[in-house]
Amino acid sequence: MIEQNVLDVIVIGGGLVGGLTALLLAQGGVQATVLDAAPILDEQKVLAQANPRVLALSQATIHLLKTVNVWDKIARKMPYTGMQVWNKNGYGEINFGQESINFPTDEHSLGSMVEPSLLNLAIQQQMLEQLNDYRTEVKVVRVEQGVGCWIIHLADGSQLKTKLVIGADGANSFVREQAFIDYDILDYQQAGLTCAIRTTQPHHYVARQIFHPTGPLAFLPMASLNPQQAEHWISIVWTLPDDYADEYASLNDVDFCQLLTRESHHMLGEIIEATPRAKFPLKARAAQRYVKEGLALIGDAAHVIHPLAGQGVNIGCLDAAVLCDVLLQDKKRGVWAHQQTLKRYEHTRKGQNDAMMHSMSMIGFLETAEFFPMIWARNFGLKQVENTPLLKDQFLTKASGLETLKSTQYAIS
């Protein structure tokens, strides 16, 4: 069965980036149909289970979530006021912001750590309130280009027509595949090992990252189900060669905690508890193009970068902001999803995202290099940045994402 109306826009994927896109469009007077493969989340189950992996949300992402009234719906957050980065085998170190004794406000933080499950719950709740056509547990089986529209075939046999398809369906994007858009892959031959740990010393709202010859080890403050232990729970992301990741993932909890205490240089005292570990392969992906006539890719469907700086989810949210901004500008002029408009989105975002991907790859290479001239250059560079306030400010400004928002209607006034 084909629904005869040609819809203005269909968003395929109802996660953070897809949901944010639909909500921003709704605020601008455009109701998107959202096709989400996920079910309606059970709020009690989500809130009762602490997710060991967290997302580091930038100031720009937080601002966008506030704009669509999602931020206050997130049940647990852990703001951070400082970042500390150093190399195990070097003398250079960079410190951004500072420690905080008291729980910081959004205005006094560099960003916030949020569990993906809680973020997805909040996004879904807002979509249920704000969208007229939000469909869950939907399987898309075919996406084909028709005459002046795209036709979406669903597993139940129904079909939808739309003037614009937005692919927000993740790294293994079905939309990207169906649109015959090629992508480049950079396999780091590494894996990310992640879990939650409890330490004897409080984190004081500082995110820490230490570079080892095998790869970076990140300590990210996280909220706790137990308020009495709120400042002692950390989410770790440990980037390791595949064989090391396999070995460390198989250790018993006692041995793993001892290893982690030693490799972290006791920076937060002893590691006294660890949740079960998860392991995921690290590959960078970049779509060779973000748009076709009547189609746009956003978020992980368009790009996946190294988790080194925790920017993956944030650049996806910036995609959503830029795309919605140009689309809503079109609407004011009485046109919709013009190809030049989609090209403007691609031109704005693809260059920035590709630069971010290659920068993260280069930093990862430099920080693990054992060739003496590179070690010297790395250490010298860290010291120069630490001792140059202007450079540190530029790093923070870039990481905040606010610079990208300046040219959109979502700029902070």
Side-chain angles (χ1 to χ4, degrees):
M1 180 183 70
I2 300 179
E3 296 188 17
Q4 295 303 314
N5 292 335
V6 179
L7 303 169
D8 281 335
V9 56
I10 292 177
V11 179
I12 299 179
L16 169 59
V17 176
L20 176 62
T21 301
L23 291 169
L24 288 172
L25 288 175
Q27 275 200 343
V30 176
Q31 279 285 338
T33 290
V34 176
L35 305 180
D36 192 354
I40 297 293
L41 298 171
D42 185 317
E43 182 175 5
Q44 289 186 335
K45 286 185 178 179
V46 171
L47 295 180
Q49 180 68 45
N51 194 317
R53 191 175 176 188
V54 296
L55 300 173
L57 303 185
S58 68
Q59 291 176 337
T61 297
I62 292 170
H63 171 67
L64 291 169
L65 292 173
K66 288 180 177 179
T67 299
V68 295
N69 300 314
V70 167
W71 186 246
D72 288 340
K73 281 184 163 65
I74 302 173
R76 291 189 297 271
K77 319 175 188 89
M78 181 55 70
Y80 61 98
T81 59
M83 291 186 291
Q84 183 182 20
V85 180
W86 74 100
N87 196 288
K88 179 183 178 182
N89 296 331
Y91 54 81
E93 179 179 314
I94 305 178
N95 293 279
F96 299 100
Q98 58 188 358
E99 292 187 353
S100 178
I101 298 175
N102 301 314
F103 192 86
T105 63
D106 292 338
E107 292 72 21
H108 294 93
S109 65
L110 300 178
S112 192
M113 306 294 177
V114 176
E115 298 160 51
S117 54
L118 296 180
L119 188 51
N120 289 336
L121 175 65
I123 284 278
Q124 187 177 79
Q125 289 174 335
Q126 190 65 14
M127 284 195 289
L128 288 168
E129 292 179 17
Q130 297 294 319
L131 304 186
N132 298 333
D133 193 9
Y134 169 43
R135 311 184 191 189
T136 58
E137 298 184 82
V138 175
K139 182 174 176 57
V140 177
V141 296
R142 189 178 173 192
V143 178
E144 64 173 326
Q145 192 168 15
V147 179
C149 70
W150 285 81
I151 304 170
I152 313 300
H153 299 256
L154 306 181
D156 64 6
S158 63
Q159 300 173 17
L160 302 172
K161 288 184 177 182
T162 183
K163 300 172 187 174
L164 174 63
V165 177
I166 298 177
D169 52 340
N172 299 312
S173 172
F174 184 67
V175 175
R176 185 185 64 219
E177 175 188 313
Q178 291 283 288
F180 301 103
I181 295 176
D182 291 331
Y183 63 98
D184 301 314
I185 298 179
L186 175 59
D187 189 344
Y188 294 107
Q189 301 295 314
Q190 293 176 323
L193 191 64
T194 184
C195 68
I197 60 171
R198 186 159 64 93
T199 60
T200 56
Q201 296 177 16
H203 52 65
H204 290 312
Y205 309 100
V206 174
R208 297 169 170 87
Q209 186 160 253
I210 177 172
F211 283 91
H212 291 269
T214 50
L217 168 61
F219 273 40
L220 309 175
M222 67 179 296
S224 169
L225 292 176
N226 183 350
Q228 303 301 318
Q229 300 173 346
E231 292 186 46
H232 295 268
W233 277 98
I234 301 286
S235 174
I236 71 157
V237 180
W238 199 348
T239 300
L240 294 159
D242 290 329
D243 52 348
Y244 278 77
D246 290 338
E247 177 187 347
Y248 294 173
S250 65
L251 293 174
N252 63 54
D253 287 351
V254 172
D255 288 344
F256 181 72
C257 287
Q258 290 177 349
L259 170 70
L260 198 55
T261 298
R262 183 173 66 252
E263 293 301 302
S264 66
H265 289 192
H266 295 77
M267 61 185 174
L268 292 177
E270 300 289 323
I271 313 297
I272 54 179
E273 187 176 350
T275 63
R277 279 143 270 161
K279 183 165 61 74
F280 55 95
L282 295 180
K283 296 180 182 180
R285 305 184 187 194
Q288 293 182 359
R289 54 192 299 192
Y290 285 10
V291 302
K292 293 184 73 171
E293 185 176 352
L295 181 144
L297 301 177
I298 57 175
D300 285 356
H303 47 74
V304 177
I305 69 170
H306 197 287
L308 184 64
Q311 286 296 311
V313 67
N314 295 308
I315 64 175
C317 290
L318 292 175
D319 291 347
V322 171
L323 179 59
C324 290
D325 182 65
V326 296
L327 288 173
L328 293 174
Q329 285 181 37
D330 260 13
K331 180 175 178 289
K332 291 177 181 177
R333 296 188 294 113
V335 296
W336 179 249
H338 194 280
Q339 184 62 7
Q340 288 183 350
T341 302
L342 298 181
K343 280 289 188 181
R344 192 158 72 249
Y345 153 71
E346 179 182 60
H347 176 76
T348 301
R349 294 302 300 146
K350 193 173 189 307
Q352 293 179 3
N353 294 339
D354 286 351
M356 176 71 75
M357 182 183 76
H358 293 307
S359 296
M360 292 304 100
S361 299
M362 180 57 68
I363 290 172
F365 170 72
L366 287 175
E367 289 295 346
T368 56
E370 293 301 299
F371 184 48
F372 177 75
M374 290 186 179
I375 295 174
W376 179 88
R378 177 183 69 208
N379 293 335
F380 178 77
L382 285 173
K383 286 194 70 175
Q384 286 297 105
V385 173
E386 174 64 16
N387 294 327
T388 310
L390 181 60
L391 283 176
K392 291 175 71 172
D393 288 344
Q394 289 176 344
F395 271 105
L396 282 178
T397 299
K398 191 68 176 175
S400 75
L402 297 177
E403 195 172 28
T404 299
L405 292 185
K406 280 184 179 179
S407 59
T408 73
Q409 61 189 283
Y410 309 112
I412 295 179
S413 55

